[in-house]
Amino acid sequence: MAWPVINRQEQAAVPGAEPLLSERVKARITAFFDRYETKRAALIPALHVVQDTYGGVSLQAIKEVAALLGLAPAEVYDTMSFYSHFWAGRRGRKVVVVCRSLSCQVLGHERLLAALKEHLKIGEHETTPDGEWSLMTEECLGACEHGPCMLINERLHARVTPDDVPRILADPDCDKVDLPAGASPQPEPKEKRGGV
Amino acid sequence: MAFEPVLSRNFDVPGAASIETYRRRGGYKAIEKALQMGRDGVVEQVKTAGLRGRGGAGFPAATKWSFLPPNRTTTYLCVNADESEPGTFNNRYIMELDPHLLLEGILIAGYATRTSVAYIYIRVEYHKAYRVLQKALDEAQAAGLFGEKILGSEDFSMQCYIHRGAGAYVCGEETGLLESLEGNRGWPRIKPPFPAVAGLFGKPTVVNNVETLACVVPIIERGGEWFASIGNPPTSTGPKLYTISGPVNRPGCYEAPLGLTVRDLVYGEAYGGGMLDGRTLKAVVPGGLSVGFLTAGELDCKLDFDDPRKYGLLGLGTAGAMVIDEATDMRQVLLNVARFYATESCGQCTQCREGTMWIYKIAQRIAAGAGRIEDLDLITEITATMGMMTGRSICGHSDGAAFPLRTLIAKFRGEFEDRIHSQGDVAEALAAQ
Ligand SMILES: Cc1cc2nc3c(=O)[nH]c(=O)nc-3n(C[C@H](O)[C@H](O)[C@H](O)COP(=O)(O)O)c2cc1C
Ligand code: SF4
Ligand code: FES
């Protein structure tokens, strides 16, 4: 007997599950298609849009992105799981990323990390119970002259001492990128609906 | 003749990121000149200049372009702005402070190579650089510098897009970059075929670093011979953006001719400005982590394409120097270096995947106070099996791991031995680990 043919791609979205991606997000993703020879090449740009909008890339989002790009969800996950920037689970609204590479280490990144852990009362790669903060470490952020340095979402904080931590975290704009006058606007605001 | 900075000429100019200011200071004249010279004329100047890639491997740019098959229909230019080599940040300076310099370099190189689409692959952590560059690209597009029939030419049309990475060091390797752009895991490809023949989407592709492309602009402005007269000709020509970080007085990005000594970079008034708070220098990683370590006695090393090899280093690398002071415990440095290469290995090659992880585990043991003298030899032995140079790897990540690990052990062996001899109870340390 012949094996039944299963079209795995069309079953991408679980029947009955709440769709997550808004029409606007989908339009932003499909707008990438003109740029590349294949739809698949729009995958990482698409994951950026999804994560920037919803705060993470959930399983439902993976399925919907796969359907848009004509891929299997497993292919999307295969790519996504290679990159430390994408996450499937919950993270805080503000993600603190401390550089742990050599120059920052020599200048005391460990003291900075300890101060952050104490202030936020969480460990490395954890999120506060109120969903506000996550604390991560990454390899060289390419800002070694500012060591020890850290990113809070898009903003880089330079030469941070343990004493600076409470003041920086109390600033509501601590995650907004500091652009020179006239440069591009801030990132698009997050959408309220959905969740990870 | 005093050295005149060209790559950093706009860094201190307020508003230099805008197209008006860039133009007012003579910008976008070189692309007009290039169009008059013709494609062969541009390639000839770049060849005469002796321009070698600034991304780490130092491959001659004009030679790389000449590998493109003559009868091609599509050509891609991938601009490597992944800049993830620890200690390196000169590409960021260019993109944040003078983005149109990069865009003009892309235009000229794109013209010379008959590129149809250029992709700028920028690491995701460069949020500010990305936004400044995107604005500059929008301005340039609005001014007709990208798109169809650029500057009224009959035979030059090119699109340009910025493509953000997602946090993986190995995507800076040129074929890892291509895989990543195609939407895959950033696994470097087996070469040959080289990207010039079968690159992005299987089409002829040039991959060049941001600084390499920035160099093309002054080469066209002032001529290849001018460029070739700077630095240490004939092998190391032109200016270079050096970066320096760690406990020095003036960490930052500085332009100087190729061949600056490490001593000048660290202590020169115009560069690093000496050690911070009177600290004592113990070691320098002069070219991005992967080149390896110099001792305080080796600061005469010249940062050009040849001299670092005489000190057992991989090469010039990215000329991103990281300074380490006396107070730093080299066991912690070893741990840091070993962790970097182990966690950033893509895992395709056995020697790289297993070797870096073994060394990381050994380094953890040593750092915990449970090291053995044999561990030092074991690390050295493992590094000798890794890398493209030994014929066992797909990409240079594992060569880049071998050099810092090997030179660290070889050049600071005395300290490692002392610390191992004076460590406390090994059983206790192991239990606590
Ligand atoms: C593991 C690894 C990481 C690399 N990372 C980068 C990088 O971040 N930026 C870069 O320009 N080149 C990087 N390279 C070098 C590239 O493979 C390639 O040689 C370079 O982009 C070519 O450009 P160039 O000839 O203009 O220097 C890396 C190489 C390896 C092996
Ligand atoms: S050498 Fe290492 S990083 Fe490079 S392809 Fe092999 S496993 Fe991947
Ligand atoms: S070492 Fe921390 S930013 Fe480079």
Side-chain angles (χ1 to χ4, degrees):
Chain A
M1 151 194 144
W3 292 100
V5 176
I6 302 171
N7 184 343
R8 289 176 166 62
Q9 301 193 352
E10 271 180 13
Q11 294 184 359
V14 175
E18 270 295 295
L20 174 70
L21 306 190
S22 68
E23 289 309 316
R24 217 169 136 263
V25 162
K26 283 195 219 164
R28 282 179 68 197
I29 293 173
T30 49
F32 290 127
F33 291 170
D34 297 346
R35 298 186 174 189
Y36 310 99
E37 274 191 30
T38 64
K39 279 190 188 173
R40 183 170 185 142
L43 178 51
I44 290 177
L47 293 174
H48 277 304
V49 170
V50 171
Q51 178 156 302
D52 290 349
T53 311
Y54 302 107
V57 187
S58 63
L59 186 59
Q60 180 62 26
I62 290 175
K63 288 172 177 162
E64 291 180 39
V65 169
L68 270 179
L69 269 57
L71 299 169
E75 291 174 295
V76 172
Y77 193 69
D78 179 49
T79 294
M80 176 181 148
S81 59
F82 185 79
Y83 299 93
S84 61
H85 182 73
F86 297 126
W87 50 85
R90 252 181 201 288
R91 278 200 198 181
R93 276 174 284 276
K94 289 180 180 163
V95 180
V96 184
V97 181
V98 179
C99 171
R100 64 183 187 204
S101 284
L102 193 52
S103 279
C104 289
Q105 181 199 30
V106 171
L107 293 167
H109 92 288
E110 266 158 28
R111 287 192 299 278
L112 169 60
L113 190 59
L116 283 161
K117 285 180 185 168
E118 197 186 294
H119 188 84
L120 294 171
K121 300 189 177 57
I122 50 173
E124 209 175 315
H125 304 293
E126 287 179 7
T127 299
T128 53
D130 63 0
E132 198 57 29
W133 299 94
S134 291
L135 179 60
M136 327 292 292
T137 59
E138 252 302 348
E139 299 299 348
C140 182
L141 299 173
C144 327
E145 84 277 35
H146 296 311
C149 61
M150 63 182 189
L151 280 170
I152 303 181
N153 292 349
E154 295 214 357
R155 189 186 199 112
L156 184 89
H157 294 270
R159 302 211 184 197
V160 190
T161 67
D163 292 343
D164 296 335
V165 166
R167 181 183 50 79
I168 292 176
L169 298 198
D171 174 3
D173 288 334
C174 67
D175 65 332
K176 310 266 185 338
V177 62
D178 52 329
L179 289 173
S184 302
Q186 292 287 333
E188 303 226 353
K190 290 197 193 319
E191 286 185 18
K192 281 279 173 277
R193 61 188 288 259
V196 181
Chain B
M1 193 178 65
F3 172 71
E4 188 196 335
V6 285
L7 302 173
S8 59
R9 61 188 160 193
N10 291 334
F11 283 6
D12 294 328
V13 178
S18 77
I19 194 166
E20 294 84 33
T21 313
Y22 183 74
R23 275 212 157 118
R24 189 159 2 98
R25 294 181 52 83
Y28 290 120
K29 286 274 188 301
I31 177 63
E32 287 179 17
K33 191 169 168 189
L35 292 172
Q36 279 157 21
M37 288 163 109
R39 296 194 157 90
D40 293 344
V42 173
V43 176
E44 202 47 47
Q45 289 302 320
V46 174
K47 198 166 161 187
T48 308
L51 173 63
R52 293 173 64 174
R54 304 306 200 224
F59 197 81
T63 312
K64 188 187 279 190
W65 300 352
S66 75
F67 291 154
L68 292 165
N71 54 352
R72 64 195 187 276
T73 47
T74 310
T75 312
Y76 291 114
L77 172 62
C78 293
V79 182
N80 195 338
D82 195 49
E83 194 165 70
S84 308
E85 180 70 30
T88 311
F89 46 91
N90 63 43
N91 290 181
R92 194 190 95 231
Y93 268 66
I94 295 174
M95 292 186 286
E96 283 184 5
L97 298 174
D98 200 5
H100 287 285
L101 179 70
L102 171 61
L103 296 178
E104 188 166 12
I106 293 171
L107 281 169
I108 299 169
Y111 172 64
T113 53
R114 285 196 268 139
T115 290
S116 28
V117 186
Y119 297 101
I120 306 172
Y121 187 100
I122 184 172
R123 62 177 302 186
V124 65
E125 294 82 2
Y126 278 3
H127 298 284
K128 186 169 174 177
Y130 163 64
R131 296 196 183 280
V132 174
L133 190 62
Q134 182 66 59
K135 166 89 189 312
L137 181 58
D138 293 345
E139 286 175 344
Q141 256 151 1
L145 287 158
F146 288 94
E148 300 301 317
K149 308 215 158 134
I150 292 167
L151 291 170
S153 80
E154 274 310 305
D155 62 344
F156 180 40
S157 301
M158 173 168 81
Q159 306 295 333
C160 182
Y161 302 109
I162 303 178
H163 188 103
R164 307 181 82 184
Y169 169 69
V170 78
C171 291
E173 197 277 343
E174 55 188 9
T175 55
L177 185 152
L178 299 177
E179 284 293 320
S180 181
L181 246 168
E182 290 183 13
N184 305 323
R185 300 168 79 82
W187 277 356
R189 297 175 183 168
I190 293 173
K191 294 162 279 276
F194 289 96
V197 177
L200 190 64
F201 307 118
K203 305 281 163 44
T205 301
V206 170
V207 184
N208 271 138
N209 173 265
V210 167
E211 190 187 1
T212 312
L213 292 166
C215 285
V216 173
V217 178
I219 289 172
I220 296 306
E221 283 170 353
R222 297 164 192 233
E225 276 176 28
W226 161 83
F227 193 90
S229 71
I230 297 170
N232 281 343
T235 50
S236 302
T237 58
K240 177 84 190 81
L241 289 173
Y242 294 90
T243 59
I244 178 159
S245 60
V248 293
N249 286 314
R250 291 168 31 96
C253 175
Y254 303 104
E255 184 173 354
L258 271 173
L260 187 73
T261 65
V262 177
R263 188 184 311 285
D264 282 343
L265 183 56
V266 176
Y267 291 100
E269 290 283 303
Y271 311 110
M275 296 295 289
L276 188 69
D277 306 332
R279 299 191 207 189
T280 311
L281 182 147
K282 173 145 89 181
V284 183
V285 177
L289 190 58
S290 300
V291 302
F293 286 77
L294 292 174
T295 66
E298 295 177 321
L299 302 186
D300 291 324
C301 176
K302 289 199 275 292
L303 293 172
D304 62 20
F305 287 109
D306 306 306
D307 212 38
R309 297 226 168 87
K310 297 182 194 140
Y311 295 82
L313 303 180
L314 178 60
L316 173 67
T318 57
M322 295 188 282
V323 176
I324 293 159
D325 64 340
E326 260 319 321
T328 309
D329 179 343
M330 288 315 235
R331 294 177 302 181
Q332 294 301 325
V333 173
L334 173 65
L335 183 64
N336 196 311
V337 176
R339 187 208 53 232
F340 178 80
Y341 292 100
T343 54
E344 296 297 332
S345 167
C346 85
Q348 286 188 97
C349 317
T350 310
Q351 253 74 13
C352 175
R353 179 186 63 239
E354 307 295 328
T356 55
M357 197 44 94
W358 287 342
I359 294 174
Y360 181 33
K361 286 182 180 160
I362 298 167
Q364 283 175 314
R365 192 160 73 208
I366 295 174
R372 305 169 306 186
I373 298 294
E374 310 90 270
D375 286 340
L376 303 176
D377 300 313
L378 188 54
I379 291 176
T380 310
E381 195 185 316
I382 298 170
T383 62
T385 69
M386 298 186 335
M388 290 177 89
M389 292 176 181
T390 71
R392 291 180 172 93
S393 300
I394 295 173
C395 91
H397 178 81
S398 41
D399 303 277
F403 276 79
L405 291 165
R406 188 186 304 149
T407 50
L408 184 57
I409 301 290
K411 297 185 183 186
F412 298 91
R413 189 166 179 116
E415 178 180 335
F416 283 108
E417 289 187 354
D418 287 350
R419 293 203 188 259
I420 290 172
H421 284 310
S422 61
Q423 69 198 7
D425 188 326
V426 169
E428 247 174 51
L430 280 178
Q433 201 189 339

